[in-house]
Amino acid sequence: MEKYLPILNGCSFFNGMSQQEILSILGCVNAYTVKRDKDSFIFRSGDTTEVMGLVLVGSVFVVQEDVWGHRNIMTKCHPGDLFCEIYASTPGSVLNVSAITVENSTILMMNVKRLLATCSVACEHHQKLIRNLVGVLAGKVLKFNEKITHISKRTTREKLLSYLSRESQRQGKLSFDIPFNRQELADYLCVERSAMSLELSKLKKEGLLDTARNHFVLSAK
C-alpha cells in the first residue's frame, strides 16, 4: 500500500494526516485493493454496499442507465477521488447508479461502517477522518448542483455554454481541456450527440469558441 501513499496524501479524505496515520486508518476501515479491466463494473445499480471506492490508478464513471441503455454520466472519478461514499454511508440504501471503469484501474475499497462506528483502538485521527468525509460529501453536493444547473437549461446550446463557462471559470483560463470525449460530454449533459455536435459547429462559426477533441478555447466578447 505504501506505493500509493503519494495519491492518498493528495486525497481530501486524508487531508491533514501523516503517512503513518493514513496507513493506520486503512487497517481500521478494512481497506483492500481491487484491479479491474476497462469497462468493468465496480458497483451495479440495484446493489447495496458498505464499502466506498477510491481511485488509485485509472478512472471511473458513475452513471445512471435506464432499461433502454440511455446513459447519464453523473461524474468522472480520477486518482484520489472517492465514489459511492453516499450509499456506503447509508446502511441498506440501494444504488441507483453504477460505477464503471473507463480504463484499466486499481481501486481502494474501504468499509464506511467501520469508520462511522467507534474505533476499537481509539485512534486519535478517527474523528479527523469523519470530518474529512463530511467535507467530501459536501463537495459532491456542490458538483451535483453544478450538473443540475447545466442540464436544467432549456436548449442544447444553453447546456453547452453553461458547462463550458463553468469549466473556464473553474480552471481560471479560456483555453482548457475537459475530462470527456464527445459522446461522454453528451451523456453528461443529457443531450443527443448529433444535436450537440451541430451546436458546437454553430458556436465555432459564430466565433464563440474553438475546439479540437476535448480541448476548448473560448472567445470572451
Side-chain angles (χ1 to χ4, degrees), residues 2 8 15 17 23 27 49 65 72 79 88 111 160 165 172 193:
E2 285 83 357
L8 298 179
N15 185 45
M17 301 183 68
L23 291 174
T49 182
E65 288 186 299
N72 173 13
N111 191 304
L160 275 168
S165 176
R193 177 177 175 175

Side-chain angles (χ1 to χ4, degrees), residues 29-41:
V29 297
N30 289 346
Y32 61 94
T33 59
V34 297
K35 293 185 177 182
R36 293 289 185 270
D37 293 334
K38 179 181 178 181
D39 297 326
S40 298
F41 283 90

